Every structure is written in C-alpha cells, then in structure tokens.
Amino acid sequence: MSTLTILDHTGDKTIEWNPRNPDEVNKARLAFAQRKAKGHLAYRLDADGNQGAVIREFDPTARRIVMSPQTVGG
Amino acid sequence: MPSWLPIHSTATTIWSNGTTATYPITLTLTGGTGSATSYYYLDNGTWSLSPAQGYWPNRELRMGVDVAASNHGVGGFRGFQEDAERRRAITAAVDRATATLLGLLNEEQRASYERDRTFLVVGSHGGLYQIGPGSMGNVEWFDPTHPDVAAGRLCAHPQRWDDEGGGILPDPDIALGQLLHLVTDEPGFLRTANVHAGRAPRYPVAA
C-alpha cells in the first residue's frame, strides 16, 4: 500500500491506496489535487522516508507522499 | 452592546505544543454580539477576538461569556466544556504529529528530538541547519567555518492556520514541513525565510 500524509490541525490525515486499484488511486489523486489547489507543497519520499523530492503532480507509483501547507516567511 | 466578563478566576493559556499554563484574570472585556463563548488573544498588549473561535499560537488565551448568559450559569459551563474538549483535541493532534515526525527522522535526529526537541538537518545543497521547537525563528544555520555557533536564526515555516479545519498545525508538523523543504529545496526555503537574528546564509545557494 502507498500512503498520502496530509499535515493539518489534527496532526495529519492519512490516505492509503493500492496502485493497482483505480478507485483508491483516484481517491488519493483527488485529495492531492484539493490540497495542491490550496498551495500545499508535496514531497515524494523514498522507502527509508528521510530523503525526498518535490512533486507537483500526483504520482500513483510513489510509496509515500507527504503534503505540507506552503512555507511562509515569518 | 453586551458586556463580556471572564468566566473563571483564572484563565488558561494553550500553547501550540499542547501544554497549558494558568494565569489570574484581571481583565474585563467589552464587545461581542451574542451569548456564545468567545476567545481572545493578547497581541502586543491589545486583546482581540480570536478568528473562528480558534486558539492563537503562542498567545495568551482567555474566555469570556455574555453577562446575561453568565448570570444563568449556562455560558460559563459551556465555555468550560469547550476549553477541556479543545485541550484534548490539541493534545491528540500533537501526539499524532509527533509520531509522524519521529517516523521520518533518522536515528540520530530522533534521539536529538527526544532529548531537547531539536535536530540537525543537511539541506539539499549542503547547508547545515538546526530545527528547534515552535515556528517563529526556530531554524538556525551554521557557517562551516565556525560550526560551533549558529550564524543566524531564520524564520520560514508551513502556514500555521489550517483554513480547512479551523485550527493550527502542531509544532511537530511545523518541524516536519521545514525538514522536508530543506532537504528537497534548500534554495526555495532560503528565498522564503526572513532573518530574525545573525546573518543570512551566503552559502551554498545564494544565487
């Protein structure tokens, strides 16, 4: 299973999908698109979780994606 | 215009890391348009109504109720309930965010975080940073020629207010957002960051 983690005020929300299940993929893709539309940043993580890359489109082959609200200067 | 009075002899501050502190109430508030409990935060000496009746990070938080409701004992009870529920929700969010963060830190970072809520990060272009607790100016950077002392304190963090849920991100989520941004796009992080102390990093990605 692959995991989309969305950081939010509850700590985070998690959506899992099986890359071979179109319904689950579409559900994760929709959640990804909704947060991207709000300006969230998305990171595809490697298997060990500690290295990653910025992604701008949903990648159904990713093992794990973490989305964070956009970075702002304070 | 109704008067707003504190409903407790003390007020509780809920900090962004989920901990609380209690202060004596010395303030009578005026304003408001209904009988519902409202929350106020102290910002540079001025009390303001908190947006969406949420709490405000790193600010004192106080509750007041409409005088008429308070006289019937209704508003006070409701306010007390909301406060306890809010505190439980914050604690649960912090616990969940902490678990997520710890699951993505390497062994050394995890040990450091559990020790003092700080950990070191090497950016995507080689810069060395230490992420600490909180969100305002909580990222220090180190000059490789003087690595023992932080050369500057930077402020760039995930937007704290969650529009969709009407709350703020817990501190561990802030740290995770900063970590991911630094290890994937250090130049972008530095372009966004403001310098709160010391100097801005001129390496490795100033251009």
Side-chain angles (χ1 to χ4, degrees), chain B residues 108-122:
Chain B
E108 188 177 339
Q109 290 170 325
R110 192 178 307 121
S112 176
Y113 185 83
E114 290 175 336
R115 185 173 57 248
D116 59 9
R117 298 291 184 265
T118 69
F119 59 91
L120 293 173
V121 177
V122 177

Side-chain angles (χ1 to χ4, degrees), chain B residues 77-101:
Chain B
F77 176 70
R78 181 174 55 212
F80 186 81
Q81 273 193 322
E82 288 180 359
D83 185 39
E85 290 168 5
R86 188 178 301 272
R87 198 175 310 162
R88 278 195 293 273
I90 292 171
T91 300
V94 171
D95 289 347
R96 191 176 301 115
T98 300
T100 301
L101 174 65

Side-chain angles (χ1 to χ4, degrees), chain A residues 33-54:
Chain A
Q34 288 173 336
R35 288 290 173 161
K36 279 301 286 181
K38 292 178 179 294
H40 275 47
L41 302 173
Y43 306 95
R44 185 187 62 231
L45 304 187
D46 295 340
D48 65 5
N50 201 35
Q51 300 297 320
V54 176

Side-chain angles (χ1 to χ4, degrees), chain B residues 36-121:
Chain B
T37 302
S38 292
Y39 297 85
Y40 293 81
Y41 64 94
L42 186 61
D43 188 11
N44 293 324
T46 301
W47 286 92
S48 302
L49 185 64
S50 178
Q53 293 200 353
Y55 58 97
W56 204 254
N58 300 321
R59 300 279 196 279
E60 287 191 30
L61 172 74
R62 302 194 180 193
M63 293 189 298
V65 296
D66 182 87
V67 172
S70 180
N71 287 341
H72 288 88
V74 175
F77 176 70
R78 181 174 55 212
F80 186 81
Q81 273 193 322
E82 288 180 359
D83 185 39
E85 290 168 5
R86 188 178 301 272
R87 198 175 310 162
R88 278 195 293 273
I90 292 171
T91 300
V94 171
D95 289 347
R96 191 176 301 115
T98 300
T100 301
L101 174 65
L102 291 177
L104 291 172
L105 296 180
N106 63 33
E107 191 172 337
E108 188 177 339
Q109 290 170 325
R110 192 178 307 121
S112 176
Y113 185 83
E114 290 175 336
R115 185 173 57 248
D116 59 9
R117 298 291 184 265
T118 69
F119 59 91
L120 293 173
V121 177

Side-chain angles (χ1 to χ4, degrees), chain A residues 5-13 34-35 38 40-41 43-45 48-54 56 64 66 68-74, chain B residues 93 96-97 100 104-106 109 136 155-159 162 164-165 167-170 173 176-177 179-181 183-185 189 192 194 196:
Chain A
T5 302
I6 300 171
L7 307 185
D8 67 9
H9 72 287
T10 69
D12 56 68
K13 288 184 176 64
Q34 288 173 336
R35 288 290 173 161
K38 292 178 179 294
H40 275 47
L41 302 173
Y43 306 95
R44 185 187 62 231
L45 304 187
D48 65 5
N50 201 35
Q51 300 297 320
V54 176
R56 290 173 174 76
R64 185 167 190 182
V66 176
S68 168
Q70 66 178 326
T71 302
V72 296
Chain B
R96 191 176 301 115
T100 301
L104 291 172
L105 296 180
N106 63 33
Q109 290 170 325
M136 302 294 287
C155 190
H157 53 81
Q159 186 172 322
D162 180 4
E164 194 159 303
I168 65 168
L169 258 64
D173 276 354
L176 179 54
L179 163 68
L180 291 173
H181 203 155
V183 300
T184 58
D185 180 22
F189 184 91
T192 303
N194 290 318
H196 278 205

